[in-house]
Amino acid sequence: MDSRPSVVAPCRHCNIETVWLQMAYGGWRLFDAEMHPTDESAAGNRFAIRRLTRQVVDLDDVHEARWPAKCLQLHRFRCPASHDDSLFHHRRPRQANDIDLEDLWHRLAERKVAQRRAG
Ligand SMILES: [Zn+2]
């Protein structure tokens, strides 16, 4: 299986930036490339990246004392048109070489700063 990291890329339906991430249970899912407040998220749409494994876990499945303040969300919750795309993870845009996931978080942080400047 091709486990190269994905790159952040705009959804072809809504142009919002998205990223494919590997699930701890296997498979890949398409997520918004931004974090959302966990307590504003719908059930079934609260995910987090485990730092050790760099894989995504469903927060509704983990029985931890407290959830992180922010979580990842599946893109198809806000963009139903992307649902069919989410079945074709082999088409996902990938990093050409082995750049780790920190790159994603740096990009997200940069976007946040840019948004603050713009706003
Ligand atoms: Zn979309």
Side-chain angles (χ1 to χ4, degrees), residues 92-108:
R92 74 194 157 92
R94 298 174 188 100
Q95 292 285 12
N97 43 31
D98 191 22
I99 297 170
D100 71 34
L101 201 57
E102 295 298 331
D103 180 59
L104 167 64
W105 304 121
H106 289 152
R107 287 197 49 166
L108 293 180

Side-chain angles (χ1 to χ4, degrees), residues 2-75:
D2 186 352
S3 60
R4 277 180 294 168
S6 309
V7 294
V8 174
C11 170
R12 67 189 177 94
H13 299 285
C14 66
N15 226 33
I16 288 171
E17 290 205 306
T18 57
V19 63
W20 287 95
L21 296 171
Q22 191 170 26
M23 303 297 293
Y25 332 99
W28 294 75
R29 307 291 286 275
L30 186 65
F31 291 91
D32 290 351
E34 62 177 336
M35 304 293 274
H36 300 271
T38 301
D39 53 6
E40 290 174 16
S41 304
N45 208 14
R46 294 182 280 245
F47 297 85
I49 292 187
R50 282 239 161 95
R51 288 202 169 270
L52 289 180
T53 61
R54 298 182 180 280
Q55 290 175 327
V56 175
V57 293
D58 185 340
L59 289 174
D60 291 320
D61 287 348
V62 297
H63 302 284
E64 290 179 10
R66 66 172 75 152
W67 285 345
K70 293 195 163 185
C71 67
L72 289 161
Q73 297 195 350
L74 292 170
H75 183 60

